Amino acid sequence: MRFAALAATTLAALVLAACSSTSTTTVTASSPTMTGEDPYLWLEDIEGDRALSWVREQNARSLPQLENDPRFGQLLTDATALANSRDRLPTGGIFEGYYYNFWQDEQHVRGIYRRARLDAFARDGNPQWETVLDIDAIAAAENANWVFKGIDCLEGTTLCLVSLSDGGKDATTYREYDIATRSFVPNGFVLPEAKSGATWLDHNTLIVATDWGAGTMTESGYPFVVKRWTRGTPLSSATEIMRGAVTDVGVFGGVLQDTDGHRVPIAVQATTFFESTNFRLDGASPQRINLPPKSSIQGVYRGFLIATLQEEWRGHPQGALIAYPLSESGSETPNVTVLFAPNARQSIEGVSITHDAIIVAGYENVRGRLLRIARNGNTWATTNIALPENGSVTMAGSSPTESQAFAVFEDFLTPDTLYALDQNATRARALRSLPAQFDSSPYVSEQYEAVSADGTRVPYFVLRRRDMPFNGENPTLLYAYGGFQVSYTPTYSPNVGKLWLDRGGVYVLANIRGGGEFGPAWHQAGLRTHRQVIYDDFYAVERDLVERRITTPRRLGIMGGSNGGLLMGVMLNQHPEMINAAVVQVPLLDMLRYDQLLAGASWVDEYGSPSNREERAFLETITPYQNLRRRDDFPLPLVVTSTKDDRVHPGHARKYVARLLELGMPVLYYENIDGGHAAAANLNEAARRRSLEYTYLMQRLMD
C-alpha cells in the first residue's frame, strides 16, 4: 500500500517419451545449428489458430504419457491438498491499524483479500478475519478469469485501487474499490488493461503511467509517460507530469511516505533494467533525486531518504545501505551516512521501515539475519534481532506509521514461523509456526561448495535422507536460477518434501553467480558477455555432486524457470552428458530474438543486446534454440509454458520444441492455455503442473 523499491518491484514484478509418439510434425534431417530464416516464427503468434492448434496437438501428445503413469494420480492428490492447505502463514501488510492478507484455499481458489485488527494479529498471528474483497465472487459474477495482482489503498479513506489480471498476465486493469461498502465505486477510477502503474496522489487524483496510445510505450512494452488524472474527468484529459524515452524500460509513479505520515510523490525512470533516475513530483516540475543509476530507494525514515547502492558511489561501497536528509535530495553533495556495508559474503535482501526503526533482512553465507537500525537523537544505532540460525528470513508486514512489524523464519526442514518485531525489541517474538506438512525427521540439509572454472567457490545446499548411501545412485533434482540479482535461500517447501523427498529423491539448490546471494557483485559477475561464468558454476555443482557420489548423470535431473529456463537450455546444449532429465519452465531460449518479444527489451542490461556486434557474438554461443543439433546424448526434456505469459513469450518454448521435433529429438511439452508467467492461473492449476513435473522426474530418474 506504500512505495518501496518501486522500479525493482514493477519490473520484477515484473519470470515424457520419445517423439515417436503420434504427431503430425515433420521430421527432417538435422544440421549442426540453425541457419538462415527462422522457420517457426509463426509459433510466436500467441493466440493464432495455427499456433494454438500446434499447442493442443503437443499437449495431446505429451500429457497422456505423464497422466497415465500410475503415480500421477496420487501425486496430483497430494499436490492439490498441499496447494489448498490452510496450513500457511497469513502474511501480508499493515495499513491504518489493520493487518491485511491475501488468502487462497479450496473454497477460495482465486483468493480473498481480508483483514484483522493489528493488535489481535500481533497477539498470536491467528486473529478473527473479515473479508474485504472476494476475487472468486467477482470472477463468477463477471464470467471472467480474474487473477488478483495487488491493491493500493489511500490513507485516511476507504478507497483502494484493485489490480486484476486476465488469466495471470502482467497486463492488468485497475478499478476503484471501497472497502467500507465492499464494492467497486460507481463511476470511479478505471484503467483499461495494459502494463500500467497507478497510485494515489490524493482522494480525487491519481498518478498514472499507462498506454496512452501510439508512441507512448517503450520498446520493452512499459509506459514512459506519467500523468495526473482527476476524478470525474476522462482518462484522455489527464495532464502530463513527465515523460521518459521510448528506449527506457519504463517510467513508473509512486509515493514515499515518512514516519510522520508525510507523503512525497515520485517517479522512477528506469533507463535500463538495473539503472534508473528518480524524481520528486511535489514541486512545480519534476526534480531529480541525487542517487547513482544503480541504486534503489527503500523509503523515508524520520526525514531521511533510505536507499541501497548496487554500485560504488562517492566513496560509499557497493551493496551499502545509505541515508541522507530528504530535504537534500536535490543537492549535488547530500550529507550521506552509510548505515550498513555488507562484506563479500553478505547481502541485503530487503529493507522495511517502521515508525521506530529500519529493519534490514539479509544473508551471511546464504543464511538469514535481521538488523535493526534506529536514529536516536543525532546518532544511528544498529543491533541484531535474534532469530534461529541457518535459514531464511523475510519481512511479513510493516508500515512507516506503525511500530509493529512481522517477519517469517524458515529453513529446508523447519516450517515457517511468524515472528513479531515489537517496538525497540532486539529479540523477535514467535507468534505461531506451521504444522509440518511432511515428516522431516529422516532428512538432513547440508551446505557444500563447488569450485568453478575460474576458481570461484560456489555454495549449494543438499537436502537428503540421513541414511542415504553415497553410492552415486540417488535420484537427484538440482535447481538454480542465476540471474537478475534474485537470491534462492533455504526455504521450507512441502512440495519438495512430499512430492520428491518422501518418494526417494534428493533435492539440491545451487547459489550460482547471477543471483544476489552475495550482493550486487555476485550478480554483476555474470552480466552480458560474462554470462558463461553462471553456466560454469552450474556445471561445477553438477560435477561436485557426482564426485561426492551423491548421484550420477543417470540419476541427475535439473530444473529452472524463466531465466532459469534459459539456464536449462544452455546446460542441455553444453553438458547433456551430465543429466538424464531437465524441466524447462517458462523459458527464454531464442536469445537472438528475445529483445523483440514482449518484455524482452527490458532485459538487455542482463543479457546483452543482439543488435550489438560483440554481445551478439556471445549470445550466438549460448542461445539454446539456434544451437540445437541432433545428438545421441541429449536427454528427454519436459518444457512447460503458458499461453497467457506476457512476460516471457511462449514462442520461446514453442519454437524450441518444434526444432527438437524437426531434429527427431525426444521432448515433452505442456502449455497451460490459462496461467501467466507462473504457468498457472490458480492453485489447482499449479498443483497439476507440479504433478506433471514430478511424474516426469520419477520416470527419468527413478525408473
Side-chain angles (χ1 to χ4, degrees), residues 124-171:
D124 61 6
N126 191 28
Q128 189 72 34
W129 296 97
E130 59 173 316
T131 297
V132 171
L133 178 69
D134 189 329
I135 305 300
D136 294 87
I138 294 170
E142 299 179 359
N143 191 29
N145 188 21
W146 290 129
V147 174
F148 179 72
K149 287 289 187 174
I151 188 168
D152 176 26
C153 301
L154 177 64
E155 289 82 355
T157 77
T158 60
L159 299 179
C160 304
L161 290 176
V162 176
S163 179
L164 298 172
S165 161
D166 176 14
K169 295 186 291 186
D170 283 357

Side-chain angles (χ1 to χ4, degrees), residues 548-691:
R548 293 181 190 275
R549 294 187 57 76
I550 291 172
T551 192
T552 58
R554 166 66 183 86
R555 302 293 181 187
L556 178 59
I558 59 177
M559 177 187 286
S562 192
N563 172 75
L566 168 61
L567 171 65
M568 298 300 100
V570 172
M571 299 314 296
L572 277 164
N573 280 343
Q574 291 189 1
H575 294 290
E577 78 284 354
M578 291 300 301
I579 59 173
N580 200 39
V583 181
V584 188
Q585 304 164 317
V586 290
L588 287 91
L589 295 168
D590 182 350
M591 297 309 291
L592 303 184
R593 255 182 76 74
Y594 83 91
D595 61 331
Q596 301 176 54
L597 301 174
L598 296 177
S602 65
W603 307 323
V604 166
D605 209 26
E606 176 81 14
Y607 300 123
S609 172
S611 300
N612 176 287
R613 180 178 298 180
E614 178 186 359
E615 293 173 344
R616 183 183 182 90
F618 172 73
L619 290 169
E620 287 175 344
T621 69
I622 67 163
T623 180
Y625 174 49
Q626 285 84 358
N627 283 311
L628 282 173
R629 60 183 176 85
R630 185 162 186 160
R631 53 197 300 176
D632 294 333
D633 59 355
F634 199 89
L636 167 72
L638 170 63
V639 181
V640 177
T641 192
S642 167
T643 308
K644 298 289 189 193
D645 189 347
D646 57 347
R647 190 180 314 169
V648 175
H649 198 294
H652 284 277
R654 293 174 179 179
K655 296 195 303 180
Y656 181 80
V657 170
R659 173 64 171 162
L660 282 173
L661 292 170
E662 173 194 335
L663 294 172
M665 303 274 280
V667 63
L668 288 177
Y669 184 72
Y670 170 55
E671 180 171 326
N672 184 4
I673 307 287
D674 292 316
H677 190 51
N682 59 54
L683 294 175
N684 292 334
E685 289 180 5
R688 182 176 184 234
R689 176 182 57 78
R690 293 189 189 105
S691 303

Side-chain angles (χ1 to χ4, degrees), residues 44-219:
E44 294 180 4
D45 185 3
I46 296 177
E47 301 280 358
D49 291 342
R50 184 185 178 195
L52 284 180
S53 177
W54 180 92
V55 167
R56 294 186 177 96
E57 174 190 329
Q58 297 308 317
N59 283 347
R61 176 182 66 82
S62 300
L63 291 178
Q65 300 173 55
L66 300 174
E67 294 176 334
N68 292 339
D69 188 297
R71 292 165 292 200
F72 175 78
Q74 189 59 53
L75 280 167
L76 181 59
T77 298
D78 291 346
T80 302
L82 290 173
N84 290 294
S85 173
R86 291 179 175 271
D87 292 331
R88 286 173 284 122
L89 292 180
T91 58
I94 298 172
F95 181 68
E96 294 194 330
Y98 284 91
Y99 190 85
Y100 285 81
N101 163 250
F102 180 66
W103 184 258
Q104 294 174 290
D105 56 29
E106 67 276 9
Q107 276 81 45
H108 310 99
V109 176
R110 298 182 185 277
I112 56 173
Y113 195 64
R114 59 186 189 170
R115 71 180 184 180
R117 294 295 310 179
L118 181 58
D119 54 358
F121 186 81
R123 280 196 294 270
D124 61 6
N126 191 28
Q128 189 72 34
W129 296 97
E130 59 173 316
T131 297
V132 171
L133 178 69
D134 189 329
I135 305 300
D136 294 87
I138 294 170
E142 299 179 359
N143 191 29
N145 188 21
W146 290 129
V147 174
F148 179 72
K149 287 289 187 174
I151 188 168
D152 176 26
C153 301
L154 177 64
E155 289 82 355
T157 77
T158 60
L159 299 179
C160 304
L161 290 176
V162 176
S163 179
L164 298 172
S165 161
D166 176 14
K169 295 186 291 186
D170 283 357
T172 63
T173 179
Y174 286 84
R175 295 161 67 175
E176 187 177 5
Y177 187 82
D178 191 330
I179 58 176
T181 63
R182 307 291 196 268
S183 63
F184 290 108
V185 176
N187 302 314
F189 289 114
V190 176
L191 271 180
E193 181 181 270
K195 290 185 177 180
S196 304
T199 192
W200 295 97
L201 184 59
D202 57 45
H203 175 274
N204 290 315
T205 316
L206 298 182
I207 297 174
V208 178
T210 190
D211 185 347
W212 302 100
T216 63
M217 300 292 278
T218 67
E219 295 168 352

Side-chain angles (χ1 to χ4, degrees), residues 83 245 307 383 413 454 478 528 555 586 594:
T383 54
L413 300 173
D454 62 0
L478 168 59
R528 295 181 179 257
R555 302 293 181 187
V586 290
Y594 83 91

